[in-house]
């Protein structure tokens, strides 16, 4: 009798084990579902809080939606205006660079025509009255890659170079051309050449360079503000141009 009772107990225990396992699995599933639902609710509350805080303190989501749309539109319009402004600046820089290339560059095909069509002008009394493109560069109205500047002169790269190194050195005083300089300008003229020597050294032109000053129509001068061409960085030919 005792042996039969033990067998019934073991068989009853074996029969209960699947039921217990099923109940445990169901509780675990319910726990995970509850945890996931809690996370979703918490994330939703955080999102709604951030949304409401960003809408001028509005607590009515429906009334706040137009405000959100208006802010998005304003942001888009601001970005559009910024893009248009940047495009305008880039266009101005490009046009300025083209102007410098057209009037001050080393375009051999057009330089002679420009020299023939340009007219000499009298010396300006001040920098503000200097009408040339170099006057505009000195005033900062046209951009330039400046490599040297002191109280008497400025040097910047030619935007249309005829050699690897092509730098223009101009006096800050408006002297239309070399032939119109006077004896009082002797120190300034010497300073231009001295500056050219220093710049050539800084640019690594130890193997040689060329200094060119165009004067008047036959000298192929197209900008009537005295300027010194510093040219180098390669083997130059001779004669330079006749």
């Amino acid at each position: 009798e005792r042996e039969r009772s033990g067998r019934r107990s073991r068989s009853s225990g074996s029969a209960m084990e699947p039921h217990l396992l099923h109940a445990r699995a169901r509780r675990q599933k319910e726990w995970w579902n509850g945890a996931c639902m809690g996370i979703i609710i918490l994330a939703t509350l955080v999102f709604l809080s951030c949304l409401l805080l960003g809408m001028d303190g509005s607590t009515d989501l429906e009334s706040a939606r137009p405000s959100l749309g208006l802010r998005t539109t304003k942001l888009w319009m601001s970005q559009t205006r910024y893009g248009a402004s940047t495009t305008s600046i880039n266009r101005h820089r490009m046009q300025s660079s083209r102007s410098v290339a057209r009037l001050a560059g080393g375009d051999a095909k057009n330089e002679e025509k420009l020299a023939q069509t340009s007219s000499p002008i009298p010396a300006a009394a001040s920098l503000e009255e200097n009408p040339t493109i170099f006057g505009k560069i000195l005033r900062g109205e046209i951009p330039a890659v400046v490599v040297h500047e002191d109280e008497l002169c400025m040097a910047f790269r030619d935007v249309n170079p005829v050699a690897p190194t092509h730098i223009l050195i101009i006096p800050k005083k408006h002297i239309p051309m070399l032939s119109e300089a006077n004896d009082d300008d002797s120190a300034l003229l010497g300073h231009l050449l001295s500056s050219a020597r220093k710049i050539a050294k800084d640019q690594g032109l130890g193997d040689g360079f060329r200094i060119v000053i165009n004067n008047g129509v036959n000298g192929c001068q197209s900008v009537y503000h005295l300027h010194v061409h510093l040219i180098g960085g390669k083997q130059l030919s001779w004669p330079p141009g006749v």
Side-chain angles (χ1 to χ4, degrees):
E1 182 66 27
R2 186 179 301 170
E3 185 177 353
R4 286 197 300 270
S5 176
R7 285 199 297 269
R8 283 198 303 270
S9 299
R10 286 195 296 272
S11 61
S12 175
S14 300
M16 290 293 294
E17 287 178 358
H19 175 72
L20 294 174
L21 290 174
H22 178 71
R24 183 181 301 174
R26 184 176 60 188
R27 287 195 298 271
Q28 289 178 348
K29 182 176 181 181
E30 291 174 352
W31 184 88
W32 279 111
N33 289 339
C36 293
M37 183 62 65
I39 293 173
I40 293 173
I41 293 173
L42 179 61
T44 303
L45 290 175
V46 171
F47 172 76
L48 291 176
S49 299
C50 294
L51 189 64
L52 294 174
L53 288 175
M55 294 182 179
D56 301 328
S58 175
T59 57
D60 186 356
L61 183 59
E62 293 298 326
S63 62
R65 283 177 181 171
S67 175
L68 178 61
L70 181 60
R71 290 187 172 203
T72 304
T73 303
K74 287 183 178 179
L75 177 61
W76 177 81
M77 291 175 65
S78 175
Q79 291 175 342
T80 303
R81 285 196 299 268
Y82 174 77
S85 221
T86 304
T87 303
S88 177
I89 291 173
N90 290 336
R91 186 183 299 113
H92 171 71
R93 288 179 177 175
M94 184 178 297
Q95 290 173 349
S96 299
S97 297
R98 288 174 179 173
S99 297
V100 176
R102 186 176 67 254
L103 297 177
D107 190 342
K109 295 181 179 179
N110 296 326
E111 192 71 14
E112 183 177 350
K113 181 183 293 185
L114 288 171
Q116 292 173 351
T117 56
S118 299
S119 300
I121 59 175
S126 65
L127 175 60
E128 288 71 23
E129 297 176 4
N130 185 346
T132 69
I133 196 166
F134 292 155
K136 294 179 181 179
I137 290 176
L138 287 171
R139 291 192 296 268
E141 298 173 5
I142 293 179
V145 181
V146 178
V147 298
H148 172 82
E149 184 175 10
D150 55 40
E151 66 279 3
L152 297 178
C153 71
M154 176 188 286
F156 48 88
R157 296 191 183 278
D158 195 310
V159 296
N160 195 8
V162 297
T165 300
H166 188 171
I167 295 171
L168 301 176
I169 307 166
I170 64 174
K172 291 186 175 180
K173 175 184 177 181
H174 182 214
I175 302 175
M177 50 186 166
L178 182 60
S179 60
E180 294 190 7
N182 53 50
D183 293 341
D184 294 337
D185 297 320
S186 298
L188 176 57
L189 297 177
H191 182 74
L192 294 177
L193 290 181
S194 179
S195 298
R197 173 184 60 82
K198 294 176 182 178
I199 296 169
K201 183 178 179 180
D202 293 341
Q203 296 294 317
L205 302 180
D207 292 335
F209 55 89
R210 178 172 294 163
I211 296 294
V212 177
I213 300 177
N214 298 330
N215 188 90
V217 176
N218 287 344
C220 209
Q221 183 177 0
S222 59
V223 179
Y224 282 92
H225 183 126
L226 175 63
H227 51 284
V228 177
H229 294 260
L230 172 61
I231 303 171
K234 72 172 186 177
Q235 177 61 60
L236 303 176
S237 60
W238 189 264
V242 292

